[in-house]
Amino acid sequence: MPKNFESVSLEMAKEGVKNGNYGAYIIIPSTFSQSVVSINSTPKPVDLQYKISSKITKTSQVDVVYDVINFEKKLNAGMSYMYISSILNEFHNTQDGASVVMGNDQKDK
């Protein structure tokens, strides 16, 4: 998690945004894992929810919006990397097993 982010309960996050201790909170929905797995069938989008504190300066609010956007981009990039890595891993495992399959075919002839 980036250094300017902190993982807390939703109540703590809401209170922190309300009193200005936190610039914003982001809610990752409970369906996040299901949405990630859905990429193998019918992909389901994940909508992150966030709230920005009205207690911080306008300049800080803009900075926080960029932080939220960058968090979402990194989350997407990380998920894409994991998915591609998993596919390539299976492909390489299949390649590695090809010699065994070919060897078995040769024995059967």
Side-chain angles (χ1 to χ4, degrees), residues 21-89:
N21 286 339
Y22 295 133
Y25 64 78
I26 301 172
I27 299 174
I28 299 173
S30 61
T31 57
F32 179 78
S33 295
Q34 293 168 327
S35 294
V36 169
V37 173
S38 76
I39 198 160
N40 292 319
S41 55
T42 304
K44 296 178 183 117
V46 174
D47 292 322
L48 299 180
Q49 298 174 12
Y50 65 93
K51 174 139 177 89
I52 298 181
S53 177
S54 61
K55 299 282 185 176
I56 60 176
T57 67
K58 295 296 179 196
T59 301
S60 293
Q61 287 178 353
V62 170
D63 291 340
V64 169
V65 168
Y66 282 114
D67 286 343
V68 169
I69 290 169
N70 286 329
F71 174 82
E72 186 174 26
K73 284 181 181 179
K74 286 181 181 179
L75 186 63
N76 285 336
M79 297 312 300
S80 297
Y81 175 80
M82 285 175 36
Y83 182 70
I84 297 295
S85 177
S86 174
I87 290 171
L88 290 176
N89 209 12

Side-chain angles (χ1 to χ4, degrees), residues 87-103:
I87 290 171
L88 290 176
N89 209 12
E90 291 216 16
F91 179 73
H92 289 299
N93 288 340
T94 302
Q95 277 183 317
D96 293 345
S99 61
V100 172
V101 171
M102 296 302 287

